[in-house]
Amino acid sequence: MASSACSPLDRFIQANLHRKIGIRRRDHERPCSAEDEPEVPQLCWLSVKIISMRNLRKADLWSQTDCYVKLWLPTASCQEAQTRTVRNCRNPVWNETFHFVIQSEVKNILELTVCDEDTFTPDDQLMTVRFDVAKIQPGEKVRLHFELNPENQEELEVEFLLENIPGVSEKIITNGVLVSREVSCLEVHVNETKMKSSHKRRDFTFTMKGSYEEIQDISKGPHSRPGSSETTRFHYIKHSQPRLLMTLPKEHFFCCHGSGRREMDVSNPLAVPLHSLDLGKKVTVMRGESYEVSVNEENSCKNLDLRLGFDLCAEEKDFIGKRKKVVAAALKNVLHLDEDLQEDEVPVVAVVTAAGGVRSMTAMFGSLLALQELGVLDCVSYISGLSATTWTMSKLYEDANWSQKDLSGPIGDIRKHVTKSKLCCFSLDHMKYYENKLCERKQEGHKVSFTDLWGLFIDCMLHDQESTHKLSDQQLAVKQGQNPLPIYLSLNVKDDFSTLDFKEWVEFTPYEVGLLKYGAFVRSEDFGSEFFMGHRMKKIPESHICFLEGHSEHFWHRWTRDTECDIGDHPALPKKPHEQTTCLSIPKGYLSKSLREMLTGRPVVSTYHNFLKGLQLHNKYLDNESFCMWKDTVLDSSPNQLNEMSDYLKLIDTAFFINTSCPPILRPERKVDVILHLNYSGGSQTLPLDLFSEYCLEHGIPFPSTELSQEDREHLKECYVFEDSLEAPILAYFPLVCDTFQKYKAPNVERGPTEMEQGRVDVSTCAAPYGTGLLTYTEENFNKLLNLCSYNILNNKHLILQALRTAVERKKRLKKYSSPNSSKHS
């Protein structure tokens, strides 16, 4: 990035553009390969001239503002630029120009922050203007006045010039939401030129902001031989404006881009603007008395190690094909069909759960046991879980054929663990074991958190010995379609934002881990590894599955948020369908910021390397239907604040938002026809359903209307079936209630006088004996809950079979009317 107020310099830069910004195409370079590649996108030269401000507000009561403007365009440069400071002035004038190379296919949001420079305290950020560069037409120079406070006629005047860069191409890979750009590798060589008599070690530190590596060190011993060389590397966006910062040993040296030999203290970093060099060959950038530093660029383009796309992965498609054969046979049996179902007549059935600690883990075993007894378990293609229901799932999927075996075996095993004392998990030996495992995990490259300790504790609670089971190991359990495909759900959050402001659905399957709204997925065995721009840079061992399992914010949420409003651009620019309005953000202040940081500090968060690191958002990402389907926070319209810049994903229990594992089941690509929703939450048994129904309505996600009468809400039944449009799945919802269980021990089998106590199961509140925080049950309470959930399924066999039969009929009707030979009229 360069700064100047002189238009002749602009002309000079344009005339020498290929050399100046280091963008060139060598004949031997080969582009990255990708399916459905778009037209070669255009790189552009953006000039931003900060002209002046008018009627600038005071930052405090004592003096006029000492004002400067910061510019941040993260899609072009990771470094902020800023104007000089104009002191004690109400109408500061700068006339300073800044230059950026931008990719037009990327959503480029320029942030202009007006600041007050302070001597003894941190500088005040008065306001930030977020401006969509897509508003500027190539070849036009536009001068805009941003109205910061129309009442006081406070304005910021800025001039923009956008010009295409001719003859320069960049291959990108995109799914319409995320963009992966070309990556280059800069090799930095430190060569020994003569023996150094000093007995001290010499340390070299190289820094390239915005690269994957960021900082690299090289050490040379006191007796390094002449001709010896050490090399380090930086991976960075090829068409950017990188600078290499060098902290070098102090000695006489030659600056290869200056004149004369001089001694200089080089303890402070020296900056080398790489865009001014021809990096196609090795270039010496510094030569000392005993060493020289040279650099060259290697094309690092290769196939992506993540999948950008909203479709199902090939492995899941293959699974569905195999599973449909199992489901077809099971449906023929339970529905007493006369003929075999064809593949396109087989409905996709999913089991969805809600969280609730050991209560939900135990209850899910009871529900699955009953579904198996009815023959319905073989009709299910997906099982999704969150929080403690994932304990049930991970336990079952340790056996590659669990659904084909009698579930009384694993239930007996889990009964033993739930009813045993948990004091042994806190023994000195166990605490040492936890410490050693966390140290091993840290050494492998994972970031360790309190949640990892909790995962080890749960593992100890559910197993007699250490479990080394991994998510990818569960591929064996679905390889032949012998079991439903398990899907685990989590939420990605940000440290300084409440769940109300930022949350993203993350799904885990044995094949992939992905974020729904971005359409970005990595292989399950690669989750936790380090990525940059879609390339796996450092392989980190896959986590054991125990590490993957996973405060009211409303009252303070509104007044601690920064004030956001749309502002006008004058003159008004032609409106484009995918551009964003110019936004003004005014910070609330230090008190609100401190409170927000305190209240959004989450001790129970799992931290993993962000596999979206470096990827950029497509210019039209907000028009993408798949993104819009899952976007639901204010940050979704603020691309600079979304997750591609973050080093880590921060995963929390989905129940912090809505207590259901339904979202991944409703991905349109999965084409689910029937949902069996098993609710195990404490307190209100309709709240998760109400919240998720409202969520689907707001986001245009096909979901049946779930209206319940007041009578039903006060006296809940064991099962409700909701069905309306053909676009929405059929929903069978099972609250955790004791409707007829108090009187019947099995469908149509009344309890005797001595059996009435077994029907008294208080699940109406989250108080003991089934409280969410309770980890140990008596054997009697375990059996009561297990039997209750099994009974609720068995007693509603007719409703389940009705839903399945309706789904089959729907599929047949759809097939009939979509057939080429069918009539166009129903």
Coordinates of all heavy atoms in Angstrom, one line a residue, residues 142-180:
V142 N -15.0 8.9 -8.4 CA -16.3 9.3 -7.6 C -15.8 10.0 -6.3 O -15.0 9.4 -5.6 CB -17.2 8.1 -7.3 CG1 -18.4 8.5 -6.6 CG2 -17.6 7.4 -8.6
R143 N -16.4 11.2 -6.1 CA -16.2 11.8 -4.8 C -17.4 11.8 -4.0 O -18.5 12.2 -4.5 CB -15.8 13.3 -5.1 CG -15.5 14.1 -3.8 CD -14.9 15.4 -4.0 NE -13.5 15.3 -4.6 CZ -12.7 16.3 -4.6 NH1 -13.0 17.5 -4.1 NH2 -11.5 16.2 -5.1
L144 N -17.4 11.2 -2.8 CA -18.5 11.0 -1.9 C -18.4 11.8 -0.6 O -17.3 12.0 -0.1 CB -18.7 9.5 -1.6 CG -19.0 8.6 -2.8 CD1 -19.1 7.2 -2.4 CD2 -20.3 9.0 -3.6
H145 N -19.6 12.2 -0.1 CA -19.6 12.8 1.2 C -20.4 11.9 2.1 O -21.6 11.7 1.8 CB -20.3 14.2 1.1 CG -19.5 15.2 0.3 ND1 -19.6 15.2 -1.0 CD2 -18.7 16.2 0.7 CE1 -18.8 16.2 -1.5 NE2 -18.3 16.8 -0.4
F146 N -19.8 11.3 3.1 CA -20.5 10.4 4.0 C -21.1 11.3 5.2 O -20.3 11.9 5.9 CB -19.6 9.4 4.6 CG -19.0 8.4 3.5 CD1 -17.7 8.5 3.2 CD2 -19.8 7.5 2.9 CE1 -17.2 7.6 2.3 CE2 -19.3 6.7 1.9 CZ -18.0 6.7 1.6
E147 N -22.4 11.2 5.3 CA -23.1 12.0 6.4 C -22.9 11.2 7.7 O -23.6 10.2 8.0 CB -24.5 12.2 6.0 CG -24.8 13.0 4.8 CD -26.2 13.2 4.5 OE1 -27.1 12.5 5.1 OE2 -26.6 14.2 3.8
L148 N -22.1 11.7 8.6 CA -21.8 11.1 9.9 C -22.8 11.6 10.9 O -23.2 10.8 11.8 CB -20.4 11.3 10.3 CG -19.3 11.0 9.3 CD1 -17.9 11.3 9.8 CD2 -19.4 9.5 8.9
N149 N -23.3 12.8 10.8 CA -24.3 13.3 11.7 C -25.0 14.4 10.9 O -24.6 15.6 10.9 CB -23.6 13.9 13.0 CG -24.7 14.3 14.0 OD1 -25.8 14.6 13.6 ND2 -24.3 14.3 15.2
P150 N -26.1 14.1 10.2 CA -26.7 15.1 9.4 C -27.2 16.3 10.1 O -27.2 17.4 9.6 CB -27.9 14.3 8.8 CG -27.5 12.9 8.9 CD -26.7 12.8 10.1
E151 N -27.6 16.1 11.4 CA -28.1 17.3 12.2 C -27.0 18.3 12.4 O -27.3 19.5 12.3 CB -28.6 16.7 13.5 CG -29.3 17.8 14.4 CD -29.8 17.3 15.6 OE1 -30.2 16.0 15.7 OE2 -30.0 18.0 16.6
N152 N -25.8 17.9 12.6 CA -24.7 18.8 12.8 C -23.9 19.0 11.5 O -22.8 19.6 11.6 CB -23.8 18.4 13.9 CG -24.5 18.3 15.3 OD1 -25.4 19.1 15.5 ND2 -24.1 17.4 16.1
Q153 N -24.4 18.5 10.4 CA -23.7 18.6 9.1 C -22.2 18.1 9.2 O -21.3 18.6 8.6 CB -23.7 20.0 8.6 CG -25.1 20.5 8.3 CD -25.1 21.9 7.7 OE1 -24.3 22.8 8.1 NE2 -26.0 22.1 6.8
E154 N -22.1 17.0 10.0 CA -20.7 16.3 10.1 C -20.6 15.4 8.9 O -21.4 14.5 8.7 CB -20.6 15.6 11.4 CG -19.3 15.0 11.6 CD -19.2 14.2 12.9 OE1 -20.3 13.6 13.3 OE2 -18.2 14.2 13.6
E155 N -19.5 15.6 8.1 CA -19.3 14.8 6.9 C -17.8 14.4 6.8 O -16.9 15.1 7.2 CB -19.7 15.6 5.7 CG -21.2 15.9 5.5 CD -21.5 16.6 4.2 OE1 -20.5 17.2 3.6 OE2 -22.6 16.6 3.8
L156 N -17.7 13.2 6.1 CA -16.3 12.8 5.7 C -16.3 12.8 4.2 O -17.2 12.1 3.6 CB -16.0 11.4 6.3 CG -14.7 10.7 5.8 CD1 -13.5 11.5 6.2 CD2 -14.7 9.3 6.3
E157 N -15.3 13.4 3.6 CA -15.2 13.5 2.1 C -14.1 12.6 1.6 O -13.0 12.7 2.1 CB -15.0 14.9 1.7 CG -15.0 15.1 0.2 CD -14.8 16.6 -0.3 OE1 -14.5 17.4 0.6 OE2 -14.9 16.9 -1.5
V158 N -14.5 11.7 0.7 CA -13.5 10.7 0.2 C -13.7 10.6 -1.3 O -14.8 10.6 -1.8 CB -13.8 9.3 0.8 CG1 -12.7 8.3 0.4 CG2 -13.8 9.4 2.4
E159 N -12.6 10.4 -2.0 CA -12.7 10.2 -3.5 C -12.2 8.8 -3.8 O -11.2 8.3 -3.3 CB -11.8 11.2 -4.2 CG -11.8 11.2 -5.7 CD -11.0 12.2 -6.3 OE1 -9.8 12.0 -6.5 OE2 -11.5 13.3 -6.6
F160 N -12.9 8.1 -4.7 CA -12.6 6.7 -5.1 C -12.3 6.7 -6.6 O -12.9 7.4 -7.4 CB -13.7 5.8 -4.8 CG -14.1 5.7 -3.4 CD1 -15.0 6.5 -2.8 CD2 -13.4 4.7 -2.6 CE1 -15.3 6.4 -1.4 CE2 -13.7 4.6 -1.2 CZ -14.7 5.4 -0.7
L161 N -11.3 5.9 -7.0 CA -11.0 5.6 -8.4 C -10.8 4.1 -8.5 O -9.9 3.5 -7.8 CB -9.8 6.4 -8.9 CG -9.3 6.0 -10.3 CD1 -10.4 6.3 -11.3 CD2 -8.0 6.7 -10.6
L162 N -11.5 3.4 -9.4 CA -11.3 2.0 -9.6 C -11.0 1.7 -11.0 O -11.7 2.2 -11.9 CB -12.6 1.2 -9.2 CG -12.6 -0.3 -9.2 CD1 -11.7 -0.8 -8.1 CD2 -14.0 -0.9 -9.0
E163 N -9.9 1.0 -11.3 CA -9.5 0.7 -12.6 C -9.1 -0.7 -12.8 O -8.4 -1.3 -11.9 CB -8.2 1.6 -12.9 CG -8.5 3.1 -12.9 CD -7.3 3.9 -13.2 OE1 -6.6 4.2 -12.3 OE2 -7.1 4.3 -14.4
N164 N -9.5 -1.3 -13.9 CA -9.2 -2.7 -14.2 C -7.7 -2.8 -14.5 O -7.1 -1.9 -15.0 CB -10.0 -3.2 -15.4 CG -11.4 -3.4 -15.0 OD1 -11.8 -3.7 -13.9 ND2 -12.3 -3.3 -16.0
I165 N -7.1 -3.9 -14.1 CA -5.7 -4.2 -14.4 C -5.7 -5.1 -15.6 O -6.0 -6.3 -15.6 CB -5.0 -4.9 -13.2 CG1 -5.1 -4.0 -12.0 CG2 -3.5 -5.2 -13.6 CD1 -4.5 -4.6 -10.7
P166 N -5.3 -4.6 -16.7 CA -5.4 -5.4 -18.0 C -4.3 -6.5 -18.0 O -3.2 -6.3 -17.5 CB -5.1 -4.3 -19.1 CG -4.3 -3.3 -18.4 CD -4.7 -3.2 -17.0
G167 N -4.7 -7.6 -18.6 CA -3.7 -8.7 -18.9 C -3.3 -9.5 -17.7 O -2.3 -10.2 -17.8
V168 N -4.0 -9.3 -16.6 CA -3.6 -10.0 -15.3 C -4.8 -10.9 -14.9 O -5.9 -10.4 -14.8 CB -3.2 -9.1 -14.2 CG1 -2.9 -9.9 -12.9 CG2 -2.1 -8.1 -14.6
S169 N -4.5 -12.2 -14.8 CA -5.6 -13.1 -14.4 C -5.3 -13.8 -13.1 O -4.2 -13.9 -12.7 CB -5.8 -14.1 -15.5 OG -4.6 -14.9 -15.6
E170 N -6.4 -14.2 -12.5 CA -6.3 -15.0 -11.2 C -7.3 -16.1 -11.2 O -8.5 -15.8 -11.4 CB -6.5 -14.1 -10.0 CG -6.3 -14.9 -8.7 CD -6.5 -14.1 -7.4 OE1 -7.2 -13.0 -7.6 OE2 -6.1 -14.5 -6.4
K171 N -6.9 -17.3 -11.0 CA -7.8 -18.4 -10.9 C -8.4 -18.5 -9.5 O -7.6 -18.5 -8.6 CB -7.1 -19.7 -11.3 CG -6.8 -19.9 -12.8 CD -8.1 -20.3 -13.5 CE -7.8 -20.7 -15.0 NZ -9.0 -21.2 -15.7
I172 N -9.7 -18.5 -9.4 CA -10.3 -18.7 -8.1 C -11.2 -19.9 -8.1 O -11.6 -20.4 -9.2 CB -11.1 -17.4 -7.7 CG1 -12.3 -17.3 -8.6 CG2 -10.3 -16.2 -7.6 CD1 -13.3 -16.3 -8.1
I173 N -11.5 -20.4 -6.9 CA -12.4 -21.5 -6.7 C -13.5 -21.0 -5.8 O -13.2 -20.5 -4.7 CB -11.7 -22.8 -6.2 CG1 -10.6 -23.2 -7.1 CG2 -12.7 -23.9 -6.0 CD1 -9.8 -24.4 -6.5
T174 N -14.7 -21.1 -6.2 CA -15.8 -20.6 -5.4 C -17.0 -21.4 -5.4 O -17.3 -22.1 -6.4 CB -16.1 -19.1 -5.8 OG1 -17.1 -18.6 -4.9 CG2 -16.6 -19.1 -7.2
N175 N -17.8 -21.4 -4.4 CA -19.2 -22.0 -4.4 C -20.3 -20.9 -4.3 O -21.4 -21.2 -4.0 CB -19.3 -22.9 -3.2 CG -19.2 -22.2 -1.8 OD1 -18.9 -21.0 -1.8 ND2 -19.3 -22.9 -0.7
G176 N -19.9 -19.7 -4.6 CA -20.8 -18.6 -4.6 C -20.9 -17.9 -3.2 O -21.6 -16.9 -3.1
V177 N -20.3 -18.5 -2.2 CA -20.3 -17.9 -0.9 C -18.9 -17.6 -0.5 O -18.5 -16.5 -0.1 CB -21.0 -18.8 0.1 CG1 -20.8 -18.2 1.6 CG2 -22.5 -18.9 -0.2
L178 N -18.0 -18.6 -0.6 CA -16.6 -18.5 -0.2 C -15.7 -18.5 -1.5 O -16.1 -19.1 -2.5 CB -16.1 -19.6 0.7 CG -16.7 -19.5 2.1 CD1 -16.2 -20.7 2.9 CD2 -16.4 -18.2 2.9
V179 N -14.6 -17.8 -1.4 CA -13.7 -17.8 -2.5 C -12.3 -18.2 -2.0 O -11.8 -17.7 -1.0 CB -13.6 -16.3 -3.1 CG1 -12.5 -16.3 -4.2 CG2 -14.9 -15.9 -3.7
S180 N -11.7 -19.1 -2.7 CA -10.3 -19.5 -2.5 C -9.5 -18.9 -3.6 O -9.7 -19.1 -4.8 CB -10.1 -21.0 -2.5 OG -8.8 -21.4 -2.4

